[in-house]
Amino acid sequence: MLHVGLQHFLVVGALLFSLGLLTVATRRNAIGVLMGVELILNGANVNFVAFNHYVTGGVSGQVFALFVIVLAAAEAAVGLAIVLAIFQTFRSIDVRLADTMRE
Amino acid sequence: MPRKIVIWVVLAALVVTFVGVLGARMAEGAVLPEIILGPLGLTDALFYLFAAMTFAGAATVALSKNILHSALGLLAALMGTGSLYVFLSADFLAVTQLLVYIGGVLVLILFAVMLTNRITEVKISNASLGLVGGGALLVATVPVLVFVAIATPWATIVPAELAPTTREIGNAFLTRWLLPFELASLVLLATLIGAVVIARKELKQDEPDTSVS
Amino acid sequence: MEQLIGNNLASVAGFRPELVLTFGSIALLVLDLVLRRSRSRRALLAGAAVIVLGLAAVLLAAQSTASTPLFNGMIASDAFATFFKWIFLAAGFLTVLIVAQGDDYPSPRVGEFYGLLLAVVLGMFLMASATNLLTIYMSIELVSMVSYVLAGFRKSDRKAAEASLKYVIYGSVASGVMLFGMSYLYGLLGTFDVLAFAPKIAELSATTGAAGAATKLALVVAVVFVSSGVGYKIASVPWHMWCPDVYEGAPTPFTAFLSVGPKAAGFALALRFFLGSFAGPMGANGMAESIAGIPWPAVIGVLSAVTMTLGNLTAIAQTNLKRLLAYSSIAHAGYTLMGLATLSALGMQGVMIYMLIYLVMNLGAFLVVIVVAEATGSESIFDYSGLVHRHPLAAIAFGIFLFSLTGLPPFAGFTGKWYLFYAVIERASGPAGFWYGALAVVGALNTAVSLYYYARIIRAMFLEAPHVTDRVAPKLGYQLMLGAFSAAILVFGIWWAPIVEWSQRSMVMLRG
């Protein structure tokens, strides 16, 4: 039980994912929310690599994880650009303050 | 504050050394030394160390009131996962995690944190609202996911020896995964242009008048 | 390895429209710089975008619709994907036409808009044909990430900035959750190849006892998580929250595009993913069953009922037309989900027909909103009063679109709804028929509710006296488009055989 196996990595992945969801759900700061998304993506990546090592062999899971890292970087770039644009107009990045619409 | 920074720097240096040395050893085809520490092997002990670091970092991201501490927590979580990849025979991925995630994404996030704050004033709106709802979410997801992770009879194989993967990944990119590889370049180009469009200042000059139709 | 390379090279032949879109997108971005100071920049750029889309259409028409896997099983080329590709090309083409005439996108920015719009169209092409978890993920991300940018294109506009922030936050969370689900699917099934899922799931379900139950739970968790990515694209409950804000805040031509393009792409992806790999092949009666008894049709049926009810009930209270149409589009996602829940050939055909007709009627409705917004500067329902006296054509066209959206005969929307409801009722006599019957009743009640708020707009336009004066008359181009859309709605409301036959021919999907 103490020796490291697939389940150990999966638990780490599940915890990362859950903490990411918690971050997303409770954060008001938009950058904080994006950090939560990074945690979620990392949780998935740990799963991919662990399954790759313990279940499938080969490198397909690692390749998938690499693509996820690339897309996460792109998503962070777009997301943070939008956050900065919001900050220029609102002087705040509180997710709940940006609420001019709801009638 | 300086002491904290020293701790962080030491931690980061440790992880980088760990990933670097192990990556290099794996590239040479060497295996991890089997040192027994009480009931645990060295590998197991190291795993628990890095898993704890990942978890602590992620918890900081989720719970810290200070956005800067959250960013540092994210650093710890990313470094922790990067080190875990080494245990999974993913040396190239571990290094990519360090370079792209920590060198790129995290720096980007830190920049954004700094740009949206006056740098002297560290405490900004990162108050956790709806902790009850968040807690309920946690109570709902964690047991299910942990149960799925542990109880499911995954069809495991005997894992291959730790071996360098870079060559294999390079071949995979340009053969089986060629389309996603090219697609990724297009996604990067489009998002790069998009990010520039969004973040640059509004153009005022050389705009032909189009408001009258 | 030689074989893999050979397959990649051979696949290019079935990938020509996508290549045109790729290079066209890049060419437009370059052209945007070349034509920086040109006086007729708007017209030239729009012309270039239309040429690229036209070239893609020509190549798509020339391409065989035989089912073939491309690029080592990353995507599939088949009649099903081709059907949806035509919808995406039409959506892109009409959006270019609308943007070219309006001033929602300022002249210095319009080249970038066209270039990025073509990239979104490419992403939707790939969504409709993806047969690998990686291409599914990447195509969704391509569409999403470029859409975030296009929604927040007008920088000085607070609403647009806010819309893109909401969009990026909900979108990245939804795709992250989907990714986590995909990781479990990978662990359970050992492959990313969607076409290989069905036999592996059947194999897995052979295990019984505690292990079998745990496996099933893992599968259900994975499927639910993956559906969040799809649900977000089609704006179904509970992933609809971004929809009203983004629809209201984004520039209207892009809102119109979002409501028809990515929604259709999401349904194409869902049909291929769920019907292709989580359901057995369709029997002689045109019905399939879910593999290993995973209750996903029930889940989708419940989602469908909740989505349409929530969309319609919330739409009643709206006074901003864009927001109202946003909730109405959520409701329409709910109706269309009924077709997915039936798990039958008829349901699949219903989804395809509905997405095609929805493209015309919803784009038309948004075009009227653009026309009125240009004339009065307002999107409020109060400024639609007496529209028939101010812009008779726009008012009549809007009336046609709204009746069509309700699903009344003799408009095309009726044809679409007919097929969806017929598919549900066909199921009502089989096993679990009671639930399908209940779903049909919920759908019918919802149609009645939707008539209420659509009729409110129609009453304002036709029965109330105008109390605002307009600044400008609608442009000729808009009038022509409105006329064409209305004519299409009327024609296909009476003579729907061509659409039905085309969708019938297009129901061939590559299977593992």
Side-chain angles (χ1 to χ4, degrees):
Chain A
M1 204 54 208
L2 274 174
H3 283 287
V4 175
L6 173 63
Q7 274 87 354
H8 293 74
F9 289 97
L10 294 186
V11 169
V12 172
L15 288 177
L16 273 176
F17 175 80
S18 309
L19 285 169
L21 265 192
L22 177 70
T23 313
V24 168
T26 55
R27 278 283 173 259
R28 291 172 52 189
N29 186 315
I31 299 177
V33 176
L34 289 176
M35 288 187 203
V37 173
E38 301 301 335
L39 287 184
I40 292 179
L41 296 180
N42 267 279
N45 262 0
V46 169
N47 278 4
F48 278 125
V49 183
F51 284 132
N52 183 78
H53 187 61
Y54 286 104
V55 175
T56 63
V59 291
S60 57
Q62 291 189 29
V63 169
F64 202 116
L66 279 167
F67 280 117
V68 173
I69 291 182
V70 169
L71 291 194
E75 196 162 59
V78 170
L80 293 172
I82 290 172
V83 167
L84 289 183
I86 280 271
F87 185 71
Q88 284 169 10
T89 36
F90 284 84
R91 288 282 129 195
S92 159
I93 48 169
D94 189 322
V95 182
R96 272 151 236 244
L97 273 184
D99 223 4
T100 56
M101 285 188 266
R102 198 146 305 180
E103 283 151 41
Chain B
M1 199 59 195
R3 211 172 73 205
K4 248 185 201 162
I5 290 173
V6 169
I7 293 173
W8 278 104
V9 168
V10 169
L11 203 61
L14 270 179
V15 171
V16 171
T17 328
F18 174 75
V19 172
V21 169
L22 269 184
R25 284 187 65 105
M26 272 167 65
E28 290 160 10
V31 286
L32 286 178
E34 263 317 312
I35 302 169
I36 306 298
L37 296 169
L40 293 172
L42 177 64
T43 331
D44 297 333
L46 278 175
F47 169 82
Y48 286 113
L49 181 70
F50 286 118
M53 176 174 153
T54 309
F55 180 74
T60 316
V61 175
L63 301 172
S64 166
K65 290 237 182 308
N66 183 327
I67 186 83
L68 208 54
H69 290 174
S70 290
L72 292 176
L74 185 64
L75 171 66
L78 294 177
M79 288 198 302
T81 36
S83 336
L84 292 183
Y85 293 153
V86 177
F87 295 92
L88 294 167
S89 181
D91 52 340
F92 183 72
L93 194 60
V95 175
T96 313
Q97 171 96 355
L98 282 187
L99 288 180
V100 178
Y101 242 123
I102 298 178
V105 176
L106 195 75
V107 170
L108 213 60
I109 286 180
L110 282 173
F111 262 116
V113 170
M114 297 301 182
L115 284 174
T116 50
N117 288 286
R118 282 180 294 274
I119 294 181
T120 46
E121 181 202 334
V122 183
K123 257 197 184 150
I124 59 152
S125 154
N126 195 27
S128 303
L129 267 200
L131 254 189
V132 179
L137 189 73
L138 212 57
V139 170
T141 52
V142 171
V144 174
L145 291 182
V146 170
F147 178 79
V148 165
I150 292 175
T152 311
W154 309 101
T156 46
I157 54 169
V158 178
E161 287 284 312
L162 299 192
T165 54
T166 316
R167 176 195 294 270
E168 220 179 319
I169 287 178
N171 280 333
F173 267 149
L174 290 180
T175 53
R176 184 161 161 60
W177 305 93
L178 180 69
L179 178 71
F181 187 71
E182 299 296 337
L183 197 54
S185 63
L186 188 75
V187 174
L188 285 178
L189 176 70
T191 48
L192 204 69
I193 292 168
V196 171
V197 166
I198 286 280
R200 78 177 167 196
K201 290 261 183 293
E202 193 71 77
L203 288 176
K204 283 279 182 270
Q205 75 280 22
D206 65 39
E207 179 173 353
D209 194 320
T210 52
S211 57
V212 182
S213 36
Chain C
M1 189 182 286
E2 297 301 322
Q3 195 192 345
L4 292 175
I5 296 173
N7 189 301
N8 280 334
L9 289 176
S11 298
V12 173
F15 199 62
R16 289 194 193 111
E18 286 87 345
L19 285 179
V20 167
L21 287 173
T22 312
F23 291 116
S25 165
I26 297 168
L28 264 165
L29 293 169
V30 175
L31 204 61
D32 175 49
L33 298 175
V34 174
L35 297 178
R36 189 150 195 81
R37 300 197 177 267
S38 166
R39 284 213 152 269
S40 44
R41 168 184 161 79
R42 277 191 93 89
L44 286 175
L45 286 171
V50 167
I51 289 173
V52 172
L53 287 168
L55 198 56
V58 169
L59 290 173
L60 185 62
Q63 193 165 288
S64 133
T65 52
S67 302
T68 30
L70 297 182
F71 294 102
N72 302 304
M74 289 295 137
I75 56 173
S77 165
D78 51 20
F80 174 76
T82 309
F83 180 90
F84 277 97
K85 286 175 187 174
W86 283 110
I87 294 185
F88 306 146
L89 278 182
F93 173 69
L94 296 172
T95 310
V96 170
L97 285 192
I98 295 174
V99 168
Q101 302 172 59
D103 40 22
D104 278 293
Y105 287 93
S107 184
R109 292 276 170 103
V110 82
E112 283 147 358
F113 174 79
Y114 291 142
L116 294 177
L117 186 74
L118 291 181
V120 179
V121 174
L122 172 72
M124 297 194 300
F125 267 49
L126 293 166
M127 271 174 82
S129 46
T131 54
N132 187 293
L133 289 185
L134 183 54
T135 29
I136 290 177
Y137 172 65
M138 290 193 79
S139 54
I140 288 185
E141 285 288 281
L142 175 57
V143 173
S144 302
M145 288 203 274
V146 183
S147 300
Y148 305 151
V149 173
L150 294 183
F153 222 67
R154 281 183 306 191
K155 281 210 52 190
S156 47
D157 188 336
R158 290 168 71 107
K159 277 186 176 179
E162 191 181 320
S164 69
L165 180 68
K166 294 230 160 99
Y167 205 15
V168 84
I169 284 177
Y170 286 117
S172 49
V173 173
S175 69
V177 172
M178 175 182 72
L179 198 65
F180 197 78
M182 283 181 173
S183 76
Y184 278 157
L185 278 183
Y186 174 61
L188 284 166
L189 309 173
T191 174
F192 290 121
D193 188 1
V194 171
L195 298 177
F197 278 5
K200 300 226 165 168
I201 296 172
E203 204 175 293
L204 271 186
S205 63
T207 46
T208 49
T215 310
K216 205 163 176 179
L217 176 69
L219 260 179
V220 171
V221 167
V223 170
V224 168
F225 279 12
V226 170
S227 70
S228 84
V230 180
Y232 155 78
K233 275 270 147 266
I234 62 178
S236 91
V237 172
W239 305 284
H240 67 285
M241 274 100 84
W242 58 275
C243 181
D245 289 345
V246 173
Y247 277 25
E248 187 188 342
T252 316
F254 187 64
T255 305
F257 177 78
L258 269 188
S259 72
V260 294
K263 201 185 278 278
F267 273 108
L269 183 64
L271 281 174
R272 193 184 284 283
F273 186 72
F274 285 108
L275 281 184
S277 44
F278 288 89
M282 282 169 193
N285 58 357
M287 295 193 197
E289 296 307 326
S290 103
I291 287 187
I294 303 170
W296 65 264
V299 173
I300 289 183
V302 171
L303 280 187
S304 157
V306 176
T307 303
M308 59 177 115
T309 311
L310 185 134
N312 278 324
L313 290 183
T314 328
I316 292 177
Q318 303 304 321
T319 53
N320 179 305
L321 248 279
K322 272 167 96 179
R323 227 175 154 73
L324 187 146
L325 284 175
Y327 282 108
S328 125
S329 100
I330 295 176
H332 282 275
Y335 299 135
T336 319
L337 276 176
M338 290 197 307
L340 187 58
T342 59
L343 206 58
S344 64
L346 206 55
M348 178 177 165
Q349 194 181 3
V351 174
M352 291 162 74
I353 293 175
Y354 204 76
M355 278 295 116
L356 183 62
I357 292 171
Y358 184 71
L359 165 83
V360 181
M361 56 191 184
N362 218 39
L363 268 185
F366 274 110
L367 184 55
V368 176
V369 173
I370 294 172
V371 167
V372 174
E374 279 189 8
T376 62
S378 158
E379 291 154 4
S380 164
I381 189 170
F382 304 114
D383 293 321
Y384 282 71
S385 56
L387 190 67
V388 70
H389 303 297
R390 290 145 52 199
H391 306 310
L393 178 70
I396 291 168
F398 205 15
I400 291 175
F401 300 143
L402 290 175
F403 278 127
S404 179
L405 282 169
T406 320
L408 293 179
F411 303 103
F414 172 73
T415 318
K417 273 221 173 103
W418 168 262
Y419 270 85
L420 285 175
F421 277 93
Y422 188 56
V424 178
I425 290 165
E426 183 194 43
R427 273 274 176 183
S429 56
F434 171 73
W435 296 108
Y436 282 108
L439 184 60
V441 170
V442 171
L445 287 177
N446 267 290
T447 303
V449 173
S450 73
L451 181 61
Y452 172 73
Y453 63 83
Y454 289 139
R456 202 164 53 116
I457 308 173
I458 290 172
R459 199 187 61 200
M461 288 193 306
F462 288 92
L463 300 180
E464 287 172 13
H467 63 79
V468 283
T469 47
D470 298 327
R471 293 201 300 255
V472 289
K475 290 169 188 140
L476 181 65
Y478 286 154
Q479 298 202 16
L480 287 176
M481 287 178 85
L482 283 177
F485 285 166
S486 315
I489 296 285
L490 286 171
V491 167
F492 290 121
I494 298 161
W495 183 55
W496 54 75
I499 295 187
V500 173
E501 275 162 22
W502 182 30
S503 60
Q504 189 85 43
R505 278 201 311 275
S506 304
M507 283 172 57
V508 186
M509 203 192 268
L510 180 72
R511 285 191 72 102

